[in-house]
Amino acid sequence: MNNFGPSDIQPIKIDSNVRFSSIGGLKEHIRCLREMIIFPLMYPELFKKFNTRPAKGVLFHGPPGTGKTLLARALANECSVVGGRKVSFFMRKGADIMNKYYGESERNLRMLFTQARKMKPSIIFFDEIDALAPARRPSDDHTHSSVVATLLAEMDGLCDRGNVIVIGATNRPDAMDPAVRRAGRFDRELYFPPPEADARRDILAIYTKEWEPSLTNDTLDNIAKVTVGYLGSDIKALCSEAVLKAVRRVYPQIYEADYKLVVNATNVEVTTEDILAAMEEIVPAGNRYVPQAARPLPQHCVPLLQGQIQAAVTLLRRTFPVPAERQKQKTQPKLSTSAPCVFLISGECAETYIAPALLAQLEHCIVKELSIPSLHSAHSYSPEQAVITLFAECRRTGRACVIFVRDLLAIWETLVKKNGAAVLLQLWRMRSVGDNTLLLATCSGSYGELPKELQEVFPVYKDCIYCVREPTLTEVNNFLAPVVTQLPLVPPVVFNVIPPPPLPRDDDMVSIHEDC
């Protein structure tokens, strides 16, 4: 049986080294947690004066590896002592509460809340809470419905929770029961997006701050630019792999020996080349199942396509300005808000280079892809359901989103056959995704080949269409110049076949083995 005993419901001990300063790229989330959790515990008189109730629940949701559990651990350390009172921190996996025996799951849940109320102020953190509170359906068994009802009763006003704060983390918020997510239970939902370039630089600086010699600011900036699509866990794995690359480069002898050798750790220095070599070994979590939509322009294509990228960005920002420009527009009268934001890229290289490079410059947005594979994925029963789910996900995020449509004409033909074209048009015309969503589409053919319905979505008078032109003679010359003039001058690679010098054996380890 998986019953909770007295030792199972005691607060856990957290690594004291994990603090808010150990987390990069989540400044707004940290500020929100301070306002919602730390300030009510430190300044209860402010909330008592206005007779208002501070937040009692926060839901963390986002892709795996974006720092949800790490932020909860840092919050536990920051709240270890608040206002002279020790804060208890309970951390449980959603599946740990569940038990195969009838009534035991509900009993475990009630015991956890009872102990948290006895040791208040306290924080209960449910990791993978979607396993604890899945969406209730008529076809489900009674067990899950009873557990969800118990959780709702404990989080509701039926039981006086006092200074008991509940935090949930999940990467599948759509799988949770809607009743759990209402205000009063989870008052706020914090989305953890993939880190932008500035956030990736902060994370890199945290993981490499103890390296000697430390990486320069220019190196950190360059690495942050090329690691598009890397999550926080991916960057941590990248740093670990870079260290192994440096060790393999300096001391290759240790890979051939079966015993410990004498090495000097000060000789191992991680260089930029080690990090770039480590990137070839690391596959970001977001790229393991679906290719990354945002991708910077390859270095060899910069002379040929950089001018067109800049022209497309300039045209795009008139339709969909970046956050800094949005703040300026709030102080000015709006010209028109009658139509949502759309942008179409037509011509060669639109889908392969131009659109991914544009998305790489829109890292502040959440990119949702609408393509042929997504229409026929295992998570959707039909193409029209895939479209409805996509629009619902954009609406739930509450942030700026980009719906990236690969090969608009092929998508349209597929939806017409499955009666999903009308669903797509109606959802978009109803502005069901809000005003902060951009519909970015690519088309390999000309604009005139699009059906009349799509031409109405992307009208010419909106100045929202960029046609990829033929490269100019100067761009072609700049593209071919390295191939014709520079590559022949590069000296050939000479592989060092001389084996590295042998290293002495570590006598301390030899004596230990002999004693054993």
Side-chain angles (χ1 to χ4, degrees), residues 432-481:
S432 60
V433 291
D435 298 330
N436 291 334
T437 300
L438 169 68
L439 181 63
L440 176 64
T442 61
C443 177
S444 57
S446 62
Y447 176 77
E449 299 178 2
L450 297 179
K452 181 180 178 181
E453 294 87 352
L454 294 180
Q455 292 183 4
E456 293 177 355
V457 177
F458 301 92
V460 179
Y461 67 86
K462 281 187 179 180
D463 200 17
C464 61
I465 304 169
Y466 181 80
C467 300
V468 181
R469 56 173 173 78
E470 293 290 332
T472 63
L473 182 60
T474 303
E475 292 173 343
V476 174
N477 290 335
N478 293 335
F479 175 73
L480 295 177

Side-chain angles (χ1 to χ4, degrees), residues 212-281:
E212 290 293 341
S214 59
L215 300 179
T216 63
N217 293 331
D218 293 338
T219 302
L220 293 176
D221 293 337
N222 294 332
I223 297 174
K225 290 179 181 178
V226 299
T227 51
V228 177
Y230 278 64
L231 305 178
S233 57
D234 299 326
I235 296 176
K236 182 179 181 180
L238 177 64
C239 295
S240 301
E241 184 65 25
V243 173
L244 293 178
K245 291 289 184 182
V247 172
R248 189 177 300 120
R249 173 176 50 84
V250 178
Y251 290 116
Q253 302 92 328
I254 64 176
Y255 288 86
E256 304 296 334
D258 296 332
Y259 45 84
K260 183 179 179 182
L261 303 177
V262 177
V263 296
N264 188 359
T266 57
N267 295 335
V268 181
E269 298 179 359
V270 181
T271 62
T272 306
E273 289 73 18
D274 295 326
I275 299 178
L276 296 179
M279 290 183 61
E280 300 178 0
E281 305 290 338

Side-chain angles (χ1 to χ4, degrees), residues 366-384:
I366 302 170
V367 179
K368 300 291 184 180
E369 186 174 335
L370 181 61
S371 58
I372 298 295
S374 65
L375 291 179
H376 297 87
S377 65
H379 300 287
S380 57
Y381 298 103
S382 61
E384 53 267 28

Side-chain angles (χ1 to χ4, degrees), residues 56-245:
K56 293 294 183 181
V58 187
L59 180 64
F60 296 168
H61 65 99
T66 49
K68 300 184 293 294
T69 305
L70 181 63
L71 183 59
R73 294 179 183 273
L75 177 65
N77 284 325
E78 297 289 341
C79 294
S80 58
V81 178
V82 176
R85 297 182 298 174
K86 181 176 177 57
V87 179
S88 305
F89 186 79
F90 299 84
M91 183 175 179
R92 295 291 180 272
K93 294 279 187 181
D96 294 342
I97 304 293
M98 305 303 295
N99 192 288
K100 63 180 180 180
Y101 294 100
Y102 184 77
E104 290 298 326
S105 302
E106 297 87 334
R107 174 178 173 273
N108 295 340
L109 197 57
R110 286 192 294 267
M111 287 181 60
L112 178 61
F113 275 87
T114 300
Q115 186 69 14
R117 283 193 291 269
K118 290 180 180 179
M119 304 181 66
K120 63 183 181 182
S122 56
I123 298 175
I124 302 176
F125 176 66
F126 289 114
D127 201 3
E128 300 173 2
I129 193 174
D130 54 284
L132 179 63
R136 291 172 290 181
R137 297 179 177 87
S139 58
D140 292 342
D141 57 2
H142 181 68
T143 304
H144 284 93
S145 299
S146 178
V147 173
V148 175
T150 303
L151 178 63
L152 296 179
E154 294 293 338
M155 296 181 66
D156 252 340
L158 299 179
C159 301
D160 184 17
R161 279 166 44 192
N163 291 330
V164 178
I165 299 168
V166 179
I167 302 177
T170 178
N171 58 346
R172 299 178 56 205
D174 54 320
M176 293 180 56
D177 192 88
V180 182
R181 300 177 59 183
R182 75 154 173 83
R185 291 162 182 160
F186 285 119
D187 300 87
R188 291 288 301 274
E189 296 186 359
L190 300 182
Y191 176 73
F192 285 66
E196 304 176 15
D198 294 338
R200 292 195 299 270
R201 190 197 181 284
D202 295 339
I203 298 173
L204 280 168
I206 291 173
Y207 284 126
T208 62
K209 63 181 179 180
E210 297 182 0
W211 289 5
E212 290 293 341
S214 59
L215 300 179
T216 63
N217 293 331
D218 293 338
T219 302
L220 293 176
D221 293 337
N222 294 332
I223 297 174
K225 290 179 181 178
V226 299
T227 51
V228 177
Y230 278 64
L231 305 178
S233 57
D234 299 326
I235 296 176
K236 182 179 181 180
L238 177 64
C239 295
S240 301
E241 184 65 25
V243 173
L244 293 178
K245 291 289 184 182

